Structure formats: structure tokens, C-alpha cells
Amino acid sequence: KAELFKPRIRALAGDLKSPNFGLNSENYTELIQTPLDAIIHNGCHVNGVYSYQALSATNVLGTQHALNLAAKNIDFNYKNQSTTTRSFSPLLFVFVSSISALNSLQKTETKNVHPYTPLLGQIWSKNGGYSASKAVSESLVWSASKHSCITSSIVRPGNISGSSLTGALNPVDFITRFLAACIQIGSVPSGMMVSERFLDMVPVDKVVRVIGQILAEGGEAEERCWNVWKDGVRVGELGKWMREIGWEVRDLGMEEWKKEVFGRVDGKKVELEPLRSYFEEEGGGFPAGGVEVECGRTNRLMGVEGEEERGYCWGEMTKELLDKYLNNLVERGVIVKEKNNNSD
């Protein structure tokens, strides 16, 4: 099916930090003058360690530049309705945020609409640089929607993991590095401080299907926030799952596990080394779980009947999906598979 779409796809290399995305005048003008139904803004710098200041140029200014494009496109095509092949229609701006933005937003009286001010980043940065950059970007989107012809929808996924169809993973994100490190050293973290913590994973194709449904619904899905989230797998269950699908891993207390990951003297590369500071946080940096996130609207959008309001169950992590992810890492040579005697 992908082959059918290739003739309709055109990629332009740009830079979110730069005005007009760093595109030349010809390409940017073409974007402005092409009648658009929707803009999906999914680009950002994902990093759970960096400060708000380090991320704001890409994540916040990048959102502003995407909104500028939307506004210019609407203005041009409204003024030139008589010269275009179809009548003017509103433009839907879909912003892919993050469930982590709630860390900042729920500290205020309302979770959806915030007047943008330059101070927001400083106020919210105590909840994490990435979280703050997404929260400030949301405020920009809502402000633009309120004061222009842009209509908006915000999608807030949890940690986006690989495809549930193929098992393909982003090779450098946290989830991939963590799973690879556990296999590399043959152990997973456990103990009171971490076993009940969660490794939340939302397959990328599930997020894409939510976005697709928002576009299909059109006006019915506008001016809404769509949370795509599930607690995921308890870290304490991870070792059990790995052993059941054929991996030799043992449970280690968090401190011992960190020594094995970051205190190696054999010269072997461990995938988590770039994220060392992340594991200095309480609970090893893993979410506590049990967070009240309203997902009923998303469930109804996707036609999931009888689900609880908290948790988008359709995107749930399973042992079978974990097996797909690990097999993909084997195929790419990131880890070596050595079956244990308990494997099926």
C-alpha cells in the first residue's frame, strides 16, 4: 500500500528553528500558495534531560513557525479564492504534543487553554525542559486558534514506541536504549523503588491512526485535546516477560543495576550511557503510573466501546509486542539473541 502514496509525497529538508523552516523562497512560497486542508506538526527535539532553554528553539519556535505557515496559507488562499480550483475552507492544525505536558498544565486551573507569555517556559521548566516546551507550544496553538482562522486539535501521546505491525523502533530513543541495555548486561532493574514504576509505550502506528481519525472527522474533532496514553508495563514485570519470551536476564536492585550499566570496565558500549543523568531521578526516572489522564474522548473517537475513562486501552503494551521489538533489535544487530532453556 505504501507504494500507492509515494507519487503523492514530496519531502523538503528544512530546519524548525529557522524562519520559513530554512526553505528557499520558491519552496516556501509554494507551501503558502497551495490550498491546504490540514497541517500536522509533529517535529520536535525529544530529550528528557535537556533544559527548556536548550529545547525551546526547536520545539517552541518550531511550533510558531508552523503556525505562521498556517496563517499565511489561510490569508493567501482566502484572498485568492477566485483564482484557485476550489472554494476556501478552514485549515485544521493538528499539533502532536506529549502527555508529559500535563506535568506543567495540571499545575494551573485549566488543562487546555493558556494565554501565551514568554514567561511560561520559565514557570513550567521546573517540571522538565521537554514537558515545558510542549506545554508552551500548546499555549501558542490555542492562542493562534482563538485569534485567527486556524482551527486546532492537540494530540498528547505517551512515550511513542515502535510499530506494533513490524516491531521497527527508533534506534536512539529512550525505550530502545533501555531495552537494549537490559539485554546487553543480562539484567533488569527491580526492588521497591522501581518495580511498581511503569515503562509506558504507545506504538507509533496507534498514534498515527488517532491522527488519521481526527482528520477524517474534520470539524467534529476540532478544538479538542486527544490523550493517547496507557500506564504500560510495570518495570517489575519486564524481566518476567523477557524470560518468558526466551531471554536470559536476572532481576537486580536499582543501584546494582546502575553499577552494571554505567560502571562497566570491559570497554563494551552500553546503549544507555548518553542518558546516565536520567536514572539519577527518584524511581530511576520511570513514571510512577496511576496518573489520572482522561482518555474517554479518544476511546470514543476510535470506537473503543466499554473502556474506562482513564487509559487508552487500544494502545496497550503486551508481551507479544515486546517480543517484536526485541526481535527487531536482533535483526539490526543492536543485540545478540541467546535463547534460554525456558523459551517456547
Side-chain angles (χ1 to χ4, degrees), residues 74-147:
I74 290 172
D75 183 64
F76 176 85
N77 287 288
Y78 178 76
K79 292 177 179 177
N80 294 275
Q81 293 181 68
S82 61
T83 62
T84 58
T85 59
R86 61 177 183 176
S87 61
F88 174 80
S89 60
L91 186 152
L92 175 60
F93 189 92
V94 180
F95 174 57
V96 182
S97 183
S98 168
I99 209 72
S100 68
L102 291 177
N103 292 337
S104 297
L105 299 178
Q106 62 191 194
K107 304 296 183 182
T108 57
E109 292 183 0
T110 174
K111 297 181 181 180
N112 288 339
V113 182
H114 304 271
Y116 171 73
T117 72
L119 291 176
L120 280 180
Q122 298 178 32
I123 295 170
W124 286 338
S125 61
K126 64 181 180 180
N127 298 300
Y130 180 70
S131 166
S133 72
K134 284 296 189 179
V136 173
S137 294
E138 285 194 19
S139 72
L140 284 172
V141 172
W142 290 129
S143 294
S145 184
K146 183 177 180 180
H147 297 103

XYZ file of all heavy atoms in Angstrom, residues 74-147:
580
model
N -3.715 30.444 4.915
C -5.123 30.846 5.002
C -5.321 32.219 4.371
O -6.251 32.438 3.583
C -5.584 30.871 6.472
C -5.664 29.444 7.024
C -6.938 31.570 6.606
C -5.918 29.390 8.516
N -4.442 33.162 4.690
C -4.563 34.532 4.180
C -4.485 34.564 2.652
O -5.324 35.184 1.990
C -3.453 35.394 4.779
C -3.556 36.848 4.344
O -4.554 37.504 4.693
O -2.636 37.325 3.639
N -3.489 33.872 2.102
C -3.318 33.889 0.647
C -4.514 33.258 -0.058
O -5.057 33.808 -1.019
C -2.035 33.146 0.253
C -1.849 33.043 -1.236
C -1.244 34.078 -1.940
C -2.299 31.933 -1.943
C -1.089 34.006 -3.332
C -2.158 31.855 -3.323
C -1.553 32.902 -4.022
N -4.930 32.090 0.406
C -5.980 31.368 -0.302
C -7.360 31.985 -0.089
O -8.240 31.832 -0.947
C -5.961 29.894 0.121
C -4.776 29.154 -0.473
O -4.725 28.885 -1.664
N -3.788 28.854 0.359
N -7.546 32.693 1.015
C -8.805 33.417 1.204
C -8.892 34.591 0.228
O -9.932 34.837 -0.385
C -8.915 33.915 2.635
C -10.159 34.719 2.889
C -11.401 34.093 3.028
C -10.106 36.104 2.983
C -12.553 34.832 3.243
C -11.255 36.852 3.192
C -12.471 36.204 3.334
O -13.612 36.943 3.543
N -7.777 35.301 0.088
C -7.759 36.469 -0.792
C -7.816 36.084 -2.266
O -8.184 36.912 -3.112
C -6.507 37.308 -0.532
C -6.494 37.989 0.823
C -5.199 38.746 1.043
C -5.201 39.461 2.398
N -3.910 40.153 2.655
N -7.447 34.845 -2.585
C -7.368 34.438 -3.982
C -8.346 33.305 -4.301
O -8.059 32.430 -5.132
C -5.938 33.997 -4.320
C -4.944 35.137 -4.239
O -4.755 35.890 -5.182
N -4.308 35.270 -3.076
N -9.498 33.320 -3.653
C -10.479 32.263 -3.885
C -10.877 32.143 -5.350
O -11.050 31.048 -5.878
C -11.738 32.518 -3.054
C -11.525 32.390 -1.572
C -12.825 32.640 -0.819
O -13.745 31.849 -0.906
N -12.879 33.752 -0.103
N -10.986 33.257 -6.022
C -11.463 33.232 -7.406
C -10.459 32.621 -8.368
O -10.819 32.187 -9.461
C -11.802 34.655 -7.865
O -10.641 35.480 -7.810
N -9.173 32.575 -7.967
C -8.134 32.047 -8.863
C -7.761 30.614 -8.542
O -6.975 30.005 -9.256
C -6.874 32.921 -8.798
O -6.349 32.887 -7.455
C -7.177 34.354 -9.183
N -8.284 30.060 -7.451
C -7.966 28.679 -7.091
C -9.024 27.740 -7.650
O -10.093 28.152 -8.066
C -7.899 28.503 -5.561
O -9.151 28.879 -4.995
C -6.796 29.360 -4.965
N -8.710 26.477 -7.659
C -9.610 25.480 -8.254
C -10.730 25.058 -7.324
O -11.599 24.294 -7.702
C -8.808 24.236 -8.674
O -8.149 23.698 -7.516
C -7.776 24.590 -9.735
N -10.706 25.515 -6.086
C -11.782 25.159 -5.166
C -12.027 26.312 -4.214
O -11.198 27.204 -4.061
C -11.401 23.908 -4.366
C -10.167 24.079 -3.513
C -9.886 22.836 -2.701
N -8.752 23.061 -1.843
C -8.318 22.169 -0.956
N -8.951 21.024 -0.834
N -7.280 22.431 -0.211
N -13.165 26.276 -3.550
C -13.519 27.359 -2.636
C -12.707 27.279 -1.355
O -12.185 26.224 -0.986
C -15.012 27.292 -2.307
O -15.301 26.049 -1.683
N -12.601 28.398 -0.675
C -11.835 28.474 0.563
C -12.509 27.664 1.667
O -13.724 27.669 1.811
C -11.724 29.931 1.002
C -11.081 30.103 2.349
C -9.708 30.055 2.488
C -11.863 30.293 3.487
C -9.121 30.211 3.727
C -11.280 30.441 4.732
C -9.909 30.400 4.851
N -11.712 26.950 2.442
C -12.226 26.203 3.592
C -11.248 26.343 4.744
O -10.058 26.570 4.520
C -12.428 24.724 3.237
O -11.201 24.141 2.841
N -11.711 26.215 5.984
C -10.815 26.364 7.138
C -9.688 25.341 7.119
O -9.815 24.253 6.548
C -11.748 26.133 8.330
C -13.114 26.403 7.811
C -13.088 25.971 6.379
N -8.580 25.712 7.731
C -7.411 24.834 7.822
C -7.332 24.256 9.228
O -7.409 24.982 10.215
C -6.142 25.614 7.483
C -4.823 24.844 7.378
C -3.874 25.565 6.412
C -4.139 24.698 8.732
N -7.178 22.951 9.323
C -7.055 22.285 10.618
C -5.579 22.119 10.957
O -4.812 21.560 10.171
C -7.737 20.921 10.582
C -7.587 20.037 11.840
C -8.176 20.734 13.065
C -8.250 18.685 11.631
N -5.173 22.599 12.111
C -3.795 22.484 12.585
C -3.765 21.415 13.676
O -4.341 21.598 14.754
C -3.310 23.819 13.146
C -1.839 23.861 13.456
C -0.927 24.304 12.515
C -1.360 23.461 14.707
C 0.438 24.354 12.804
C -0.010 23.499 15.001
C 0.889 23.951 14.044
N -3.115 20.280 13.391
C -3.006 19.192 14.360
C -1.601 19.236 14.959
O -0.613 19.057 14.253
C -3.258 17.818 13.713
C -3.127 16.706 14.756
C -4.632 17.779 13.064
N -1.536 19.493 16.245
C -0.247 19.572 16.931
C -0.041 18.315 17.764
O -0.860 17.970 18.618
C -0.205 20.797 17.844
C 1.045 20.879 18.693
C 2.294 20.881 18.106
C 0.959 20.945 20.069
C 3.452 20.945 18.875
C 2.102 21.010 20.863
C 3.355 21.015 20.261
N 1.057 17.607 17.496
C 1.394 16.416 18.271
C 2.239 16.862 19.460
O 3.414 17.188 19.313
C 2.140 15.366 17.422
C 2.425 14.118 18.261
C 1.309 14.989 16.203
N 1.623 16.892 20.622
C 2.278 17.319 21.851
C 2.806 16.089 22.586
O 3.358 15.171 21.971
C 1.288 18.098 22.713
O 1.899 18.591 23.885
N 2.634 16.031 23.867
C 3.095 14.903 24.672
C 2.280 14.850 25.952
O 1.872 15.882 26.482
C 4.581 15.063 25.024
O 4.976 14.139 26.025
N 2.041 13.641 26.442
C 1.325 13.507 27.703
C 2.115 14.160 28.833
O 1.555 14.575 29.849
C 1.048 12.012 28.017
C -0.222 11.869 28.855
C 2.229 11.336 28.675
C -1.490 12.142 28.089
N 3.435 14.313 28.641
C 4.257 14.949 29.675
C 3.910 16.420 29.846
O 4.230 17.016 30.881
C 5.749 14.805 29.334
O 6.092 15.572 28.193
N 3.256 17.024 28.859
C 2.850 18.425 29.001
C 1.906 18.607 30.173
O 1.841 19.689 30.765
C 2.186 18.920 27.710
N 1.180 17.540 30.534
C 0.261 17.632 31.667
C 0.998 17.875 32.974
O 0.422 18.378 33.935
C -0.579 16.359 31.775
C -1.603 16.127 30.659
C -2.304 14.794 30.841
C -2.614 17.255 30.611
N 2.280 17.501 33.038
C 3.069 17.788 34.235
C 3.077 19.273 34.522
O 3.129 19.703 35.675
C 4.509 17.302 34.065
C 4.613 15.803 34.012
O 3.733 15.100 34.511
N 5.660 15.293 33.398
N 3.054 20.070 33.461
C 3.033 21.523 33.611
C 1.614 22.062 33.640
O 1.265 22.878 34.487
C 3.805 22.177 32.453
O 5.159 21.801 32.478
N 0.780 21.570 32.733
C -0.556 22.143 32.580
C -1.449 21.912 33.784
O -2.255 22.770 34.137
C -1.230 21.564 31.332
C -0.528 21.839 30.001
C -1.286 21.162 28.864
C -0.433 23.334 29.740
N -1.324 20.753 34.455
C -2.234 20.476 35.553
C -1.885 21.262 36.819
O -2.604 21.207 37.802
C -2.287 18.983 35.850
C -0.991 18.358 36.298
C -1.082 16.838 36.305
O -0.231 16.194 36.877
N -2.102 16.269 35.691
N -0.779 22.000 36.758
C -0.447 22.878 37.878
C -1.260 24.162 37.839
O -1.265 24.936 38.778
C 1.047 23.236 37.846
C 1.984 22.035 37.856
C 1.865 21.229 39.137
C 2.871 20.070 39.143
N 2.748 19.241 40.344
N -1.947 24.387 36.705
C -2.751 25.597 36.564
C -4.226 25.233 36.620
O -4.590 24.069 36.697
C -2.428 26.297 35.235
O -2.652 25.370 34.173
C -0.981 26.748 35.196
N -5.079 26.226 36.583
C -6.508 25.995 36.801
C -7.172 25.212 35.668
O -8.124 24.498 35.883
C -7.212 27.343 36.986
C -6.815 28.041 38.283
C -7.571 29.336 38.468
O -8.396 29.667 37.584
O -7.359 30.014 39.469
N -6.701 25.381 34.451
C -7.303 24.677 33.315
C -6.227 23.926 32.557
O -5.088 24.352 32.524
C -8.020 25.659 32.371
O -8.464 24.932 31.230
C -7.109 26.775 31.915
N -6.577 22.799 31.962
C -5.602 21.963 31.285
C -5.549 22.204 29.779
O -4.758 21.593 29.094
C -5.917 20.478 31.543
C -5.820 20.076 33.003
C -6.111 18.598 33.159
C -6.050 18.189 34.628
N -6.328 16.763 34.817
N -6.379 23.064 29.269
C -6.459 23.193 27.822
C -6.008 24.543 27.275
O -5.267 24.591 26.318
C -7.888 22.915 27.341
C -8.237 21.449 27.439
O -7.358 20.608 27.484
N -9.524 21.154 27.479
N -6.483 25.630 27.846
C -6.223 26.928 27.242
C -5.400 27.799 28.182
O -5.744 27.985 29.339
C -7.556 27.640 26.903
C -7.277 28.973 26.235
C -8.408 26.758 26.007
N -4.302 28.325 27.656
C -3.424 29.180 28.447
C -2.989 30.362 27.592
O -2.514 30.169 26.471
C -2.175 28.415 28.891
C -2.494 27.173 29.644
N -2.669 27.146 31.002
C -2.703 25.912 29.223
C -2.961 25.913 31.382
N -2.988 25.152 30.315
N -3.153 31.585 28.074
C -2.638 32.727 27.321
C -1.120 32.647 27.248
O -0.443 32.439 28.261
C -3.102 33.938 28.150
C -3.297 33.395 29.530
C -3.742 31.974 29.361
N -0.566 32.770 26.049
C 0.875 32.651 25.897
C 1.581 33.902 26.413
O 1.194 35.021 26.112
C 1.252 32.446 24.426
C 2.743 32.534 24.207
C 3.568 31.494 24.625
C 3.319 33.662 23.648
C 4.939 31.573 24.467
C 4.682 33.750 23.484
C 5.489 32.703 23.889
O 6.844 32.795 23.752
N 2.634 33.697 27.184
C 3.559 34.763 27.560
C 4.957 34.166 27.529
O 5.135 32.961 27.740
C 3.301 35.316 28.983
O 3.714 34.341 29.944
C 1.843 35.655 29.195
N 5.982 34.981 27.272
C 7.348 34.450 27.252
C 7.781 33.829 28.579
O 8.745 33.063 28.619
C 8.184 35.691 26.917
C 7.257 36.592 26.192
C 5.922 36.389 26.860
N 7.094 34.161 29.661
C 7.480 33.640 30.976
C 7.013 32.209 31.217
O 7.468 31.569 32.166
C 6.902 34.542 32.080
C 7.488 35.938 32.197
C 6.741 36.724 33.272
C 8.977 35.874 32.546
N 6.126 31.697 30.358
C 5.592 30.359 30.594
C 6.689 29.311 30.668
O 6.651 28.408 31.500
C 4.592 29.983 29.497
C 3.183 30.554 29.615
C 2.329 30.074 28.460
C 2.549 30.160 30.933
N 7.675 29.419 29.777
C 8.758 28.439 29.768
C 9.508 28.411 31.082
O 9.865 27.346 31.595
N 9.762 29.584 31.653
C 10.459 29.656 32.933
C 9.603 29.101 34.066
O 10.085 28.402 34.947
C 10.853 31.105 33.232
C 11.817 31.710 32.219
C 12.122 33.150 32.535
O 12.149 33.558 33.702
N 12.357 33.950 31.511
N 8.304 29.400 34.019
C 7.404 28.949 35.076
C 7.285 27.435 35.070
O 7.302 26.783 36.118
C 6.004 29.587 34.891
C 6.093 31.111 35.080
C 5.003 28.987 35.866
C 4.835 31.840 34.695
N 7.170 26.842 33.871
C 6.910 25.418 33.755
C 8.168 24.566 33.669
O 8.099 23.346 33.739
C 6.037 25.150 32.530
C 4.608 25.561 32.733
C 3.961 25.718 33.919
C 3.650 25.864 31.718
N 2.659 26.089 33.721
C 2.430 26.185 32.374
C 3.683 25.888 30.331
C 1.276 26.535 31.685
C 2.537 26.224 29.636
C 1.342 26.548 30.310
N 9.345 25.183 33.490
C 10.560 24.407 33.273
C 10.943 23.556 34.475
O 11.682 22.579 34.339
C 11.728 25.338 32.910
O 11.975 26.256 33.964
N 10.429 23.880 35.660
C 10.742 23.068 36.838
C 10.164 21.658 36.713
O 10.583 20.750 37.429
C 10.210 23.751 38.101
C 8.692 23.884 38.151
C 8.240 24.591 39.423
C 6.723 24.735 39.473
N 6.280 25.420 40.703
N 9.200 21.474 35.811
C 8.618 20.156 35.578
C 9.345 19.391 34.478
O 8.907 18.326 34.064
C 7.142 20.296 35.202
C 6.339 20.923 36.314
O 6.276 20.401 37.412
N 5.741 22.069 36.033
N 10.475 19.929 34.006
C 11.255 19.293 32.953
C 11.263 20.128 31.697
O 10.237 20.708 31.315
N 12.421 20.217 31.043
C 12.547 21.053 29.858
C 11.655 20.627 28.713
O 11.014 21.454 28.060
N 11.592 19.320 28.451
C 10.772 18.830 27.342
C 9.293 19.061 27.630
O 8.547 19.534 26.774
C 11.043 17.348 27.108
C 10.239 16.765 25.970
C 10.518 17.122 24.649
C 9.197 15.875 26.210
C 9.775 16.595 23.604
C 8.450 15.345 25.175
C 8.744 15.711 23.869
O 7.995 15.191 22.838
N 8.881 18.724 28.845
C 7.491 18.937 29.252
C 7.110 20.402 29.098
O 6.042 20.733 28.558
C 7.302 18.490 30.707
O 6.078 18.960 31.229
N 7.974 21.293 29.544
C 7.688 22.730 29.458
C 7.602 23.192 28.014
O 6.732 23.992 27.654
C 8.758 23.522 30.202
N 8.499 22.688 27.159
C 8.485 23.122 25.759
C 7.194 22.702 25.067
O 6.667 23.429 24.222
C 9.702 22.565 25.012
O 9.597 21.170 24.776
N 6.670 21.538 25.421
C 5.414 21.088 24.832
C 4.227 21.874 25.392
O 3.288 22.218 24.667
C 5.219 19.588 25.093
C 6.080 18.707 24.214
C 5.708 18.867 22.744
C 6.369 17.860 21.859
N 5.989 18.001 20.431
N 4.259 22.176 26.688
C 3.172 22.947 27.295
C 3.105 24.357 26.716
O 2.023 24.875 26.417
C 3.349 22.998 28.812
N 4.273 24.992 26.554
C 4.300 26.335 25.973
C 3.824 26.294 24.521
O 3.078 27.169 24.069
C 5.716 26.938 26.068
C 5.781 28.266 25.319
C 6.111 27.147 27.521
N 4.228 25.260 23.794
C 3.778 25.123 22.407
C 2.264 24.970 22.333
O 1.615 25.527 21.435
C 4.460 23.920 21.747
O 5.850 24.132 21.614
N 1.690 24.219 23.273
C 0.234 24.091 23.309
C -0.420 25.449 23.504
O -1.444 25.763 22.876
C -0.198 23.134 24.426
C 0.039 21.673 24.109
C -0.697 20.755 25.075
O -1.639 21.228 25.735
O -0.342 19.562 25.147
N 0.148 26.263 24.371
C -0.436 27.582 24.616
C -0.382 28.438 23.352
O -1.297 29.224 23.080
C 0.284 28.286 25.775
O 1.576 28.722 25.403
N 0.688 28.292 22.561
C 0.789 29.015 21.292
C -0.314 28.558 20.318
O -0.941 29.377 19.648
C 2.158 28.769 20.659
C 3.353 29.504 21.248
C 4.647 28.980 20.623
C 3.241 30.996 21.036
N -0.524 27.250 20.258
C -1.531 26.703 19.345
C -2.919 27.200 19.719
O -3.698 27.642 18.863
C -1.482 25.164 19.346
C -2.647 24.576 18.547
C -0.159 24.668 18.774
N -3.251 27.145 21.022
C -4.577 27.596 21.439
C -4.756 29.089 21.217
O -5.836 29.550 20.829
C -4.824 27.256 22.903
C -4.983 25.804 23.189
C -4.333 25.081 24.128
C -5.873 24.884 22.541
N -4.743 23.771 24.101
C -5.688 23.630 23.140
C -6.801 25.011 21.513
C -6.396 22.493 22.739
C -7.504 23.887 21.111
C -7.305 22.653 21.724
N -3.693 29.866 21.457
C -3.790 31.313 21.237
C -4.016 31.624 19.764
O -4.836 32.482 19.416
C -2.509 32.001 21.727
O -2.381 31.895 23.124
N -3.297 30.914 18.880
C -3.472 31.134 17.438
C -4.874 30.740 17.000
O -5.507 31.406 16.172
C -2.424 30.333 16.665
N -5.385 29.662 17.567
C -6.718 29.189 17.214
C -7.797 30.172 17.660
O -8.803 30.367 16.983
C -6.962 27.813 17.844
O -8.195 27.277 17.449
N -7.536 30.795 18.793
C -8.521 31.725 19.349
C -8.561 33.035 18.578
O -9.618 33.670 18.459
C -8.188 31.997 20.820
C -9.191 32.893 21.531
C -8.814 33.048 23.000
C -9.816 33.945 23.726
N -9.450 34.104 25.165
N -7.420 33.460 18.050
C -7.324 34.787 17.454
C -7.129 34.762 15.939
O -6.737 35.764 15.345
C -6.172 35.567 18.100
C -6.349 35.813 19.560
N -5.689 35.090 20.526
C -7.155 36.680 20.232
C -6.061 35.505 21.734
N -6.951 36.475 21.580
